[in-house]
Amino acid sequence: MWRVGAFEPTFESEMAARYDIPRLPEGARRAEFLAEHGPDVRVLVTSGSPGVDAGTISALPNLEAIVNNGAGVDLIDLATAKRRGIGVSNTPDVLSDSVADTALGLILMTLRRFGAADRFVRAGRWAREGPFPYARDVSGLQVGILGLGRIGSAIATRLLGFDCAIAYHNRHRIEGSPYRYAESPLQLAESVDVLVVATTGDRGARHLVDRAVLEALGSEGYLINIARGSVVDQQALVELLVGGALGGAGLDVFADEPDVPAELLDLDNVVLFPHIGSATGRTRRAMALLAITNLERYLETGELVTPVVRPRRR
Ligand code: 8YV
């Protein structure tokens, strides 16, 4: 059993209390290591970045399972894993509420400009300049959710409490869903005030929110992203925000984390979070324990509890 990359802190301490597992070398030393020890590796444990690419998987002829601490498995080459019968697990469900809360926080902060209002007070501007400018109501808006999965649904449920009208786009329409279905991301963006990105970050979702989708949201529209930076054309997003062609954005994720485009730092209609969607003590512990349960179950039975790819029977 080997680990890839640094672990999220709670996962690090929960793992350290149970196992002493070595870390796969990075950079140039990895190839040398894999050539010598590759056949010994049966299980890889990771916490997202830097991921497990096709080259690494190919150099591990006896790899059986990859256990990920996190819901998103976009940095793991699932196609190669599937072909080889290598199981891959993630940590779904336990983080949905925290990530949905983060989306609501971003929506409220961005439209009501709560972050900017807080900075206004701290800078002594209230006393000097008088009242803070009006913002935009969240209650009663049309909100589009791109990706109505577990997290998207939790976001929708919360927004019902704000009397918002919910629409969504998914690869497939969800039978029995109470929400209006839009045939494409573009059609969704054209018909809503706020577009919330809650898709997976797999290759098929890359730049699903492109320039045309952002332009369709328009100067009165807002983009919220708690999914993956890769789903949005970030360059177009920055250009439209700087030029005033998009009303605002609330972003928890970016194309090249932890880099955030410098142009966004001075915009008061943009709220920037450091990828904290699931970052509460309780949720991070639940994620860590679910990842460890997957690992233990695999070692004992050859099965995973929450598989994204089922392991082949060996
Ligand atoms: C964490 C996430 O940043 O679950 C995910 O896919 O993006 C986040 O919850 C990450 O997994 C921490 O390891």
Side-chain angles (χ1 to χ4, degrees):
M1 178 160 59
W2 288 78
R3 60 190 271 178
V4 185
F7 285 167
E8 182 278 329
T10 306
F11 189 52
E12 175 71 60
S13 58
E14 294 292 345
M15 283 293 286
R18 295 164 174 82
Y19 302 100
D20 180 17
I21 63 171
R23 183 163 163 176
L24 217 61
E26 268 141 55
R29 285 184 47 236
R30 180 172 287 185
E32 196 185 311
F33 169 89
L34 290 175
E36 196 182 335
H37 300 285
D40 304 337
V41 180
R42 278 181 61 213
V43 178
L44 284 181
V45 184
T46 169
S47 196
S49 150
V52 184
D53 59 15
T56 302
I57 296 178
S58 306
L60 302 171
N62 297 314
L63 185 63
E64 298 171 15
I66 303 170
V67 170
N68 184 49
N69 173 51
V73 285
D74 44 297
L75 297 177
I76 299 174
D77 195 309
L78 293 183
T80 307
K82 216 174 271 178
R83 227 179 5 255
R84 288 259 312 273
I86 296 165
V88 178
S89 67
N90 69 341
T91 61
D93 296 315
V94 292
L95 47 57
S96 298
D97 284 337
S98 295
V99 179
D101 292 349
T102 303
L104 262 290
L106 280 174
I107 294 171
L108 285 166
M109 280 187 71
T110 308
L111 276 77
R112 292 295 311 272
R113 314 188 93 173
F114 287 147
D118 177 77
R119 289 192 293 276
F120 186 79
V121 173
R122 288 171 198 269
R125 294 177 60 191
W126 189 14
R128 271 201 320 272
E129 300 173 28
F132 185 71
Y134 294 150
R136 179 88 180 265
D137 271 313
V138 171
S139 297
L141 287 187
Q142 306 264 347
V143 182
I145 298 184
L146 188 59
L148 194 70
R150 290 176 265 221
I151 292 172
S153 300
I155 295 169
T157 310
R158 283 159 174 72
L159 287 167
L160 292 179
F162 286 81
D163 289 328
C164 290
I166 310 293
Y168 75 100
H169 172 75
N170 255 16
R171 250 166 285 199
H172 305 289
R173 184 193 295 259
I174 300 170
E175 282 312 317
S177 168
Y179 310 122
R180 177 172 65 80
Y181 181 67
E183 294 291 339
S184 67
L186 185 60
Q187 281 186 19
L188 185 62
E190 279 167 348
S191 64
V192 296
D193 304 296
V194 181
L195 180 67
V196 183
V197 184
T199 59
T200 59
D202 58 29
R203 240 174 284 163
R206 190 179 150 72
H207 287 193
L208 213 51
V209 177
D210 57 13
R211 184 179 293 270
V213 170
L214 295 168
E215 282 174 350
L217 275 173
S219 58
E220 300 288 311
Y222 294 82
L223 178 83
I224 304 296
N225 190 1
I226 49 79
R228 286 290 183 264
S230 59
V231 184
V232 176
D233 179 345
Q234 185 167 284
Q235 200 182 327
L237 175 67
V238 170
E239 283 171 22
L240 295 176
L241 282 168
V242 169
L246 181 66
L251 308 170
D252 185 42
V253 288
F254 301 87
D256 186 22
E257 296 173 11
D259 287 348
V260 173
E263 297 94 317
L264 300 183
L265 300 179
D266 294 328
L267 298 182
D268 260 355
N269 56 339
V270 176
V271 175
L272 305 165
F273 285 174
H275 199 147
I276 51 166
S278 66
T280 69
R282 188 176 70 169
T283 293
R284 284 289 169 86
R285 194 171 136 74
M287 290 165 68
L289 295 184
L290 181 52
I292 289 169
T293 304
N294 270 290
L295 179 60
E296 287 170 350
R297 182 74 64 85
Y298 186 77
L299 296 175
E300 279 161 23
T301 69
E303 297 288 344
L304 292 163
V305 184
T306 48
V308 180
V309 178
R310 281 190 189 285
R312 196 175 55 218
R313 276 245 155 253
R314 285 164 216 272

